[in-house]
Structure formats: C-alpha cells, structure tokens
C-alpha cells in the first residue's frame, strides 16, 4: 500500500477518531499497516502477528472483500453493521461481548498515590503468576510482553499484587489485581502508571471496555478517559 493511500485511509479514520483510535494508534506507532482501503472500509494488519487485524467496514460485503487473498484471520477487532457476524460465519471466529474504545486525550500526565505500592517491570521468573491469573494464548506470547518491557508489576509491601501492560496492538490492558489486594487503589495506580508510560512516548493511551463493565467505566471516567459508548466493536477470535 503506497504512502498516499495510507494517508487517505488515516484521514478517513480520523473522521471518527474515538471509534478508530486503536487503528490510528497502531499506524502511528508502526505496529500495523494498511492493507486495504476502499470507500468506507479500512483493514489494518498488525506487523508482528500475522492473521491479527483491525477492521472498520460499511457492510459485511465490503468487509469480506477486504479479506480476499489474505491469510485467514485469527483475531480481528471489528466494527461496522453486521461485520462481526460475517467474520463469525465466513471464518468461524467467535465473537466477544460488545465493547468500546476509551482514550486519554488530555495530554497531561497524572499522578498516583498508593502507600506501599511499587510499580516496576515484570520479571520473567514471575511468569507462572501471570499465567495463573490471566487467560492468554500461550506462554511464548506472555514472554514477548515481558521481553518488550511492556508488562509491569504492582508490588505491594514486597509482594506481587497484580500487573498491567500493553497488548501487541498497543492497547492498554492485561490488568489484574490479585483478590487479596483489591480495594487498595492498586488497579487505579497501575492504569495511571501505564497512561503516563504512553504519554512519555508521545502516544495516545487507549484501551477497550466491555459494554456491561460498569466498574471499569467508572474508573475510566474518574481518570479522565473519553469513552464513546454509542460506537461498539467486537473482538472476533479463532
């Protein structure tokens, strides 16, 4: 895809920045590339994970055309009327619950205060705790997050209490606070830390929130995140 087409696709995505913030950030951080742009349909393929895509399409037919001649999708962050259902029926993908984008657009760094908490890079030797608390495809995928320096541990009074990190598309997530350490403000502190981590690199911090997760919506609002709950998307997963 030539540069002029890529720029045209970016201009199209920016017409609804919040709905497409994940696609725009993947392109801006060079974690994805535009492989199809036609009319109201843009398909972005992640650079490091073949078969992982981000898609916006005006119709199921347009979405299907975008995948012609491409490796079968393993995971698609999809939006558009009837598009997730087409991916389910055409490629046998399973659909997540509906979710929406949340993004921190203010630009200024935040601060957290949680006495007894230290936030540091996650260690390889702590991998068993990560795998025990977070459902991830395989151990190798988890190691990649650690080796890239994009997974962080919350250590409370000397004990591992939780973690947070970036998915390979750049979205914030992988958040888990172990049950015995909840209601201490650790989850809030971890998310603020990761927001600041992204801001330090000139990125827009963003993630996805399941539509029925009112607790998470409350946290995002408290942190000043912008959320558009009228524009839904779905993860379509093999």
């Amino acid at each position: 895809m030539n540069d002029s087409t890529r720029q045209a696709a970016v201009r199209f995505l920016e017409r609804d920045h919040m709905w497409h913030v994940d696609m725009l950030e993947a392109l801006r951080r060079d974690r994805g590339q535009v492989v199809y742009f036609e009319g109201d349909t843009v398909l972005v393929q992640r650079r490091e994970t073949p078969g992982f895509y981000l898609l916006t399409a005006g119709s199921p037919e347009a979405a299907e055309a975008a995948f012609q001649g491409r490796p079968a999708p393993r995971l698609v962050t999809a939006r558009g009327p009837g598009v997730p259902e087409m991916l389910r029926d055409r490629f046998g993908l399973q659909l997540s619950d509906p979710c929406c984008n949340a993004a921190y657009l203010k630009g200024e760094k935040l601060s957290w205060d949680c006495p007894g908490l230290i936030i540091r890079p996650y260690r390889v030797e702590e991998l068993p705790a990560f795998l025990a608390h977070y459902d991830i495809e395989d151990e190798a995928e988890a190691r990649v997050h650690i080796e890239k320096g994009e997974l962080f541990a919350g250590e409370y009074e000397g004990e591992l209490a939780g973690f947070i990190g970036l998915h390979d598309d750049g979205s914030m997530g992988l958040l888990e606070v172990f049950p015995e350490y909840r209601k201490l403000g650790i989850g809030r502190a971890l998310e603020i830390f990761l927001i600041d981590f992204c801001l330090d690199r000139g990125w827009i911090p963003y993630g996805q929130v399941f539509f029925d997760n009112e607790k998470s919506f409350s946290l995002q609002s408290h942190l000043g995140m912008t959320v558009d709950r009228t524009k839904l998307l779905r993860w379509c997963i093999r």
Side-chain angles (χ1 to χ4, degrees):
M1 186 81 45
N2 61 48
D3 191 56
S4 62
T5 303
R6 179 188 182 279
Q7 291 177 9
V10 168
R11 288 194 296 271
F12 171 79
L13 295 173
E14 286 177 339
R15 294 179 187 175
D16 195 336
H17 183 273
M18 274 302 303
W19 205 25
H20 299 130
V21 65
D22 55 322
M23 302 180 73
L24 289 163
E25 283 298 295
L27 295 173
R28 192 154 71 98
R29 304 181 198 182
D30 201 29
R31 295 186 181 222
Q33 58 184 336
V34 177
V35 294
Y36 183 92
F37 174 44
E38 184 69 37
D40 56 3
T41 300
V42 180
L43 182 65
V44 172
Q45 183 172 5
R46 298 189 195 174
R47 290 193 182 277
E48 297 183 7
T49 44
F52 284 40
Y53 299 91
L54 301 100
L55 170 69
T56 184
S59 69
E61 294 76 18
E64 188 165 7
F67 282 102
Q68 291 295 320
R70 307 194 188 284
R74 295 170 49 211
L75 185 149
V76 185
T77 306
R79 71 219 76 196
V83 172
E85 291 75 17
M86 183 281 293
L87 293 168
R88 177 195 62 202
D89 298 340
R90 173 71 174 81
F91 297 107
L93 302 182
Q94 298 182 8
L95 306 186
S96 75
D97 291 332
C99 54
C100 61
N101 282 325
Y104 185 75
L105 305 177
K106 296 183 177 181
E108 66 267 18
K109 294 177 67 174
L110 300 171
S111 61
W112 57 272
D113 181 18
C114 184
L117 180 68
I118 295 173
I119 302 177
R120 55 165 174 79
Y122 206 88
R123 299 168 183 155
V124 173
E125 58 265 29
E126 296 169 326
L127 187 56
F130 179 82
L131 296 173
H133 287 88
Y134 196 86
D135 184 16
I136 200 164
E137 188 172 329
D138 56 36
E139 182 175 323
E141 183 182 350
R143 284 183 177 272
V144 169
H145 291 301
I146 297 172
E147 291 166 0
K148 289 174 68 175
E150 294 182 349
L151 183 65
F152 301 95
E155 184 179 299
Y156 185 76
E157 296 183 346
E159 298 293 332
L160 182 65
F163 47 79
I164 196 169
L166 298 180
H167 294 287
D168 60 356
D169 64 348
S171 61
M172 299 191 302
L174 307 173
L175 175 60
E176 182 69 26
V177 177
F178 303 162
E180 61 269 35
Y181 295 104
R182 291 174 185 168
K183 298 185 179 180
L184 296 173
I186 294 174
R188 178 180 182 275
L190 286 168
E191 185 165 352
I192 289 174
F193 175 90
L194 196 56
I195 287 172
D196 289 350
F197 177 86
C198 292
L199 291 176
D200 284 341
R201 286 150 183 79
W203 302 339
I204 294 176
Y206 79 94
Q208 279 98 32
V209 181
F210 285 115
F211 195 65
D212 61 355
N213 191 343
E214 291 298 332
K215 184 176 180 180
S216 182
F217 279 120
S218 177
L219 175 60
Q220 309 318 314
S221 175
H222 184 72
L223 295 179
M225 300 276 281
T226 297
V227 181
D228 183 357
R229 297 174 69 169
T230 68
K231 297 289 180 68
L232 302 183
L233 51 100
R234 279 187 164 179
W235 298 323
C236 308
I237 308 166
R238 187 168 301 285

